[in-house]
Amino acid sequence: MTDRKLLEIRNLNVEYRTDDEIVYAVNSLDLSLNSGESLGLVGETGAGKSTTALSILQLVADPPGKTTSGEILFEGEDLLKAKKDFLRHIRGNKISMIFQDPMTSLNPVYSVGDQIAEVIYLHEKCSKSEAQQKAAEMLETVGIPKERYDEYPHQFSGGMKQRVVIAMSIACSPQLILADEPTTALDVTIQAQVLELMNDLKVKFNTSLLLITHDLGVVAQVCDRVAIMYAGEIVEIGTVEEVFENPKHPYTVGLFRSIPQLDEKVDRLKPIKGQMPDPTNLPSGCKFHPRCPHAIEACTKIQPAMTNVKGTHIVKCFIHEGKFESTELMEEVK
């Protein structure tokens, strides 16, 4: 991993508009990813994680979706201002995406080998036979015998389909892979195999990874850094060690408290009280304040700033700006 910035998102705002309302999906989001680095983007359903990933490749459908402001710099080039031809060159070649459901990500009427070969043929200057040969090699790379090249998606299990999708995503040796909950539809055993495969391929090809998930265990297994997302905003970010060993934002603390402990016997789990805010009517001030047990009046009116805690650990909370002290939160953190 190097410190060279590969991806930099600045003040990204994305909305979905209908006839009578506006959904504020991503709000003033800042995020960066270095070359060869893995970043986990964690949050509840509806936090804006998938919209963020789709925005990078300009795949948010317009209408109803619209990127209203911001910059998405990939190798210094603003993808929000890029022409369609440039985006076609980038997609699948320099940036590829693994979608959430492998069952619907593959075309049922083409063989899996031909679907991988098509990606290679479109982006690399080679003949169709050379693309087919490389596609067979990619199947072997993800643990599928090349003899299955001519088989169709319905002949593969869910885990095998996801391996095919991963083979497609790495076929052109991209610099960045966007993985949108790639193991959600898989059982635990297959999930572990796919994560191990992704780890191995990340090292082999020195590929950067933006992993979208709601599973903190997956982040611990795969990622170098983690960003916690709530209501379209990043509320905490740092290395996996910084955030996992010393979570600072009340939302992050709540996420960790809700995970069952193997060495602790309890009658009930400890969920975060309340619901995610309505994205058409977001609360003023800190977006988490209606659910936060430590909120004060300032939290309801003023948006907290990102504050550096230690090292690369940054959090968006008044407690860490020194505005007030919460002994209860500090006890929870400990």
Side-chain angles (χ1 to χ4, degrees):
M1 188 180 76
T2 69
D3 290 333
R4 182 175 70 87
K5 283 276 190 296
L6 181 69
L7 177 73
E8 199 165 2
I9 302 175
R10 300 174 183 168
N11 194 35
L12 180 67
N13 290 274
V14 184
E15 300 172 355
Y16 293 97
R17 294 174 176 265
T18 63
D19 291 338
D20 52 1
E21 61 184 13
I22 301 173
V23 174
Y24 300 98
V26 177
N27 306 298
S28 303
L29 184 135
D30 294 304
L31 202 62
S32 65
L33 188 63
N34 291 333
S35 181
E37 182 182 47
S38 300
L39 173 66
L41 191 57
V42 178
E44 293 173 87
T45 299
K49 306 183 301 295
S50 296
T51 297
T52 300
L54 292 171
S55 298
I56 294 170
L57 285 174
Q58 294 300 286
L59 294 176
V60 175
D62 182 10
K66 188 173 183 62
T67 302
T68 56
S69 65
E71 295 177 307
I72 300 177
L73 303 175
F74 179 73
E75 295 188 311
E77 184 84 27
D78 190 352
L79 299 181
L80 293 180
K81 297 177 181 175
K83 294 181 179 179
K84 290 183 178 180
D85 287 345
F86 180 78
L87 289 171
R88 270 195 290 268
H89 170 69
I90 289 286
R91 293 171 186 152
N93 185 20
K94 291 192 173 185
I95 305 176
S96 61
M97 188 158 182
I98 302 172
F99 290 95
Q100 189 168 350
D101 186 2
M103 315 301 175
T104 57
S105 297
L106 297 169
N107 192 321
V109 299
Y110 288 96
S111 73
V112 295
D114 282 346
Q115 292 186 58
I116 299 170
E118 183 181 15
V119 176
I120 298 166
Y121 181 71
L122 282 173
H123 291 294
E124 297 186 2
K125 295 178 180 178
C126 63
S127 65
K128 287 191 175 182
S129 62
E130 288 172 329
Q132 290 168 347
Q133 182 179 345
K134 185 173 180 182
E137 292 170 3
M138 295 312 301
L139 284 173
E140 293 276 353
T141 300
V142 297
I144 299 175
K146 60 184 177 183
E147 289 77 20
R148 301 194 69 178
Y149 180 103
D150 291 320
E151 293 184 18
Y152 292 83
H154 73 271
Q155 295 173 276
F156 289 78
S157 66
M160 284 296 199
K161 283 193 183 85
Q162 194 62 292
R163 286 172 181 264
V164 173
V165 173
I166 291 171
M168 291 174 69
S169 73
I170 63 171
C172 296
S173 301
Q175 293 163 272
L176 172 62
I177 293 177
L178 311 173
D180 188 0
E181 304 203 27
T183 58
T184 298
L186 309 177
D187 63 55
V188 177
T189 306
I190 303 303
Q191 173 177 300
Q193 292 175 5
V194 169
L195 290 175
E196 185 178 358
L197 172 65
M198 290 178 69
N199 258 335
D200 293 343
L201 294 173
K202 181 185 71 174
V203 174
K204 182 177 179 180
F205 294 99
N206 191 36
T207 303
S208 298
L209 175 68
L210 179 63
L211 176 66
I212 294 167
T213 183
H214 56 262
D215 190 331
L216 290 163
V218 169
V219 172
Q221 190 173 342
V222 175
C223 298
D224 305 308
R225 288 195 304 138
V226 57
I228 308 298
M229 195 167 184
Y230 185 81
E233 300 178 357
I234 302 297
V235 296
E236 185 165 2
I237 188 167
T239 65
V240 168
E241 290 78 12
E242 286 170 337
V243 176
F244 277 53
E245 292 178 10
N246 196 11
K248 292 293 187 182
H249 196 281
Y251 177 61
T252 312
V253 173
L255 289 178
F256 280 104
R257 287 184 71 232
S258 66
I259 300 172
Q261 302 297 314
L262 293 176
D263 59 351
E264 184 181 334
K265 189 173 182 179
V266 295
D267 295 325
R268 297 177 67 86
L269 298 178
K270 300 173 184 175
I272 301 173
K273 293 181 179 179
Q275 301 291 327
M276 281 274 288
D278 180 356
T280 65
N281 185 27
L282 292 172
S284 58
C286 172
K287 303 296 183 289
F288 186 62
H289 85 256
R291 303 173 71 183
C292 182
H294 313 288
I296 60 172
E297 187 177 355
C299 303
T300 67
K301 299 176 180 177
I302 307 167
Q303 175 80 279
M306 276 296 205
T307 306
N308 183 268
V309 179
K310 187 179 179 181
T312 64
H313 197 173
I314 304 172
V315 62
K316 183 182 282 190
C317 179
F318 281 136
I319 291 174
H320 306 288
E321 284 188 41
K323 293 281 196 306
F324 70 99
E325 291 185 5
S326 170
T327 53
E328 295 90 348
L329 177 62
M330 295 312 165
E331 283 302 314
E332 286 188 72
V333 168
K334 289 175 185 176

